[in-house]
Amino acid sequence: MPNDPALFPRNFHQALPVAVRGEGCWLFSADGGKFLDAAGQAAVINIGHGVPEIGRAMAEQSSKLAFAHTSQFHSPPAEKLAARLLSMAPPNFRKGGRVYFTSGGSEAAETAIKLVRQYHLEKGQTARYRVLSRRQSYHGSTLGAMTVSGNLARRAPYQPMLAEWGHIAPCFCYHCPFEKTFPECHLACADDLDSFVAGSDAASAAAFLFEPVVGATLGATVPPVGYLARIAEICRKHGILLVADEVMTGIGRTGRPFAVQHWGIEPDIILCGKGIASGYAPLGAVLVAANVVEAFENGTGAFKHGFTYQAHPVATAAGNAVLDYIESHSLFSRVVPAALSLCNALAPLLSHRYIGDVRGLGLLVGIEILRDKSTHVPFEPSEAVAEKIRAAAMEEGVLVYPTQGCVEGTRGDHILIAPPFIVTPEESGLIATALSSALAKVFPN
Ligand SMILES: Cc1ncc(COP(=O)(O)O)c(C=O)c1O
């Protein structure tokens, strides 16, 4: 079916099917297509499509109260969801922490950027404003979020409009930017933060923003033991806040409510999006630890920031209903066994001559495609290998999430697999079979 010509699409040169129904791990299109949603769209659909309880909770909330402006009212679903998120977060959030709700991940990143600036103003540290981050990272599409993002391709057209606050090396052992090997590297990539801050006007550094497991840009790259603890220590040493972007990894995707909990670190701020309402409503959140909240409470008391739709009653009702569903179906505890079946199913792909790596944590899995596995040399970007695999897998009825640029910003192909937590071993088998057929189509000889 042709696209509705009234819609401004992401790509005018790509014809897309029209999605009309979702159920569990499956999506159905108007022209009779049936697709296994192996990437949960873009790591969004944590509980599965078409759960009727969520729609009912949203309808009930909107018939009672659809909207009340946050300059005049709080609402029960927002209050309730904030308390539930804080209770799942690391200890420094549980007592005295607060939650700022947004309509998605980019707004959450944007909010955090302004929040850390105002935090330092509240503390009398008026020179601090730069939010440091890493190369090959993605934190959102708005200009502030794009400024901290290190994804070269997504930044390129807007480069003149972006501030230069500083990006350090990614933590990426498979293509180590220092050409070192863990543990002999002694975490050179973490120490890059220390030397970068020290060598670049340390007094203006305000925060360090990072993805605990790098999703879209590095294809589910997990840091080695000790990396995040070292990063946290360097932030404390320089008096800068630590902001974990858990838009993709949060709300159970890696097997813990928040990925930072795998390493026991306590960031000052955690960003959520995507899975927080599992795609049923546009929702994001900024979890603010007690020490940051205190600076506002004891200072001006007012955060100079706001969105009309922040803490929306219907969106936060969706968030509560999603958490109810996760609790009543013990979905967090399904992630680790489901990830095991998925990885067992995908493991044979590693014997393909162009599959270099299958990596990840929990149900966030990346598959990297390389021209030469022994030297880790990627394909040229013009060959569009990841996109070709996506298209071929779609013809096999399986949806995956392709990206280029993991190696150094422009070269490197990977696909992301991030299915709903309810994915069955049979469905994992179907994902692996479809990928194997897709690889055979893209690389026939
Ligand atoms: C880690 C991370 N941060 C932020 C964002 C931006 O979120 P949104 O697209 O909801 O604005 C994304 C989206 O892919 C993401 O993966």
Side-chain angles (χ1 to χ4, degrees):
M1 185 185 280
N3 284 329
D4 179 347
L7 204 55
F8 196 106
R10 283 186 177 234
N11 184 344
F12 282 89
H13 305 298
Q14 192 181 25
L16 297 178
V18 176
V20 288
R21 191 166 70 82
E23 192 181 324
C25 293
W26 296 83
L27 276 176
F28 300 85
S29 62
D31 55 2
K34 178 179 176 187
F35 303 97
L36 176 52
D37 192 6
Q41 293 303 280
V44 175
I45 313 298
N46 287 8
I47 67 167
H49 295 279
V51 176
E53 288 93 316
I54 317 300
R56 279 201 289 271
M58 293 172 73
E60 198 183 310
Q61 180 60 46
S62 69
S63 58
K64 247 192 297 188
L65 171 77
F67 182 77
H69 199 276
T70 47
S71 62
Q72 294 169 26
F73 294 102
H74 294 307
S75 74
E79 293 275 20
K80 184 175 172 186
L81 185 59
R84 293 173 87 177
L85 292 172
L86 292 172
S87 72
M88 289 158 46
N92 59 325
F93 289 82
R94 289 185 208 152
K95 198 165 177 303
R98 301 278 184 141
V99 179
Y100 193 108
F101 287 110
T102 64
S103 301
S106 301
E107 278 189 9
E110 213 63 44
T111 299
I113 289 167
K114 290 169 74 178
L115 194 93
V116 299
R117 164 66 179 157
Q118 197 177 330
Y119 162 85
H120 288 295
L121 291 179
E122 300 290 358
K123 303 282 275 186
Q125 304 255 323
T126 54
R128 293 195 184 272
Y129 69 94
R130 284 161 55 224
V131 180
L132 311 177
S133 52
R134 297 183 296 194
R135 298 193 289 278
Q136 283 132 276
S137 58
Y138 181 62
H139 302 290
S141 277
T142 51
L143 286 176
M146 201 30 61
T147 290
V148 283
S149 294
N151 183 312
L152 286 185
R154 294 185 191 185
R155 285 171 63 94
Y158 308 105
Q159 198 64 48
M161 303 157 78
L162 303 177
E164 285 304 334
W165 291 334
H167 293 91
I168 66 157
C171 173
F172 193 12
C173 296
Y174 194 66
H175 294 279
C176 176
F178 301 96
E179 296 183 3
K180 294 187 176 188
T181 308
F182 180 77
E184 290 76 34
C185 64
H186 301 296
L187 297 170
C189 52
D191 289 343
D192 198 40
L193 178 61
D194 196 20
S195 34
F196 188 84
V197 174
S200 69
D201 187 17
S204 67
F208 178 67
L209 173 64
F210 71 103
E211 297 165 77
V213 177
V214 185
T217 24
L218 292 190
T221 290
V222 183
V225 174
Y227 172 81
L228 287 179
R230 177 82 61 87
I231 287 284
E233 187 189 307
I234 295 166
C235 286
R236 305 284 173 249
K237 172 178 153 189
H238 290 285
I240 66 182
L241 295 179
L242 183 59
V243 184
D245 180 344
E246 297 240 19
V247 168
M248 200 175 262
T249 53
I251 321 294
R253 176 140 300 275
T254 67
R256 298 275 178 97
F258 297 99
V260 289
Q261 291 166 323
H262 288 282
W263 298 279
I265 64 154
E266 297 190 345
D268 301 292
I269 292 173
I270 297 178
L271 312 182
C272 292
K274 296 189 183 273
I276 188 172
S278 199
Y280 288 82
L283 185 62
V286 182
L287 277 60
V288 187
N291 59 314
V292 180
V293 172
E294 262 166 37
F296 284 79
E297 280 172 344
N298 300 336
T300 61
F303 181 26
K304 293 196 174 39
H305 180 68
F307 302 106
T308 297
Y309 284 135
Q310 72 187 60
H312 193 279
V314 180
T316 49
N320 278 306
V322 164
L323 280 187
D324 289 343
Y325 192 81
I326 286 173
E327 282 168 16
S328 61
H329 293 75
S330 304
L331 287 192
F332 281 168
S333 61
R334 284 187 74 166
V335 171
V336 171
L340 197 66
S341 329
L342 178 64
C343 289
N344 285 339
L346 296 176
L349 294 179
L350 270 172
S351 62
H352 189 279
R353 67 188 185 289
Y354 294 134
I355 298 298
D357 198 20
V358 178
R359 55 181 174 247
L361 191 60
L363 283 173
L364 189 60
V365 176
I367 301 173
E368 186 169 337
I369 309 112
L370 291 169
R371 175 179 292 289
D372 187 332
K373 282 162 68 156
S374 58
T375 55
H376 293 194
V377 170
F379 285 92
E380 285 308 310
S382 57
E383 293 180 77
V385 162
E387 169 53 25
K388 282 180 188 158
I389 294 173
R390 180 206 66 80
M394 193 170 176
E395 280 170 24
E396 299 294 317
V398 169
L399 306 172
V400 299
Y401 180 171
T403 308
Q404 277 193 312
C406 60
V407 175
E408 33 52 325
T410 52
R411 293 183 317 144
D413 292 85
H414 70 259
I415 54 175
L416 212 55
I417 308 289
F421 302 170
I422 53 166
V423 65
T424 63
E426 293 71 33
E427 287 165 336
S428 288
L430 292 175
I431 296 169
T433 307
L435 281 173
S436 182
S437 308
L439 287 167
K441 260 189 209 165
V442 175
F443 305 111
N445 308 309

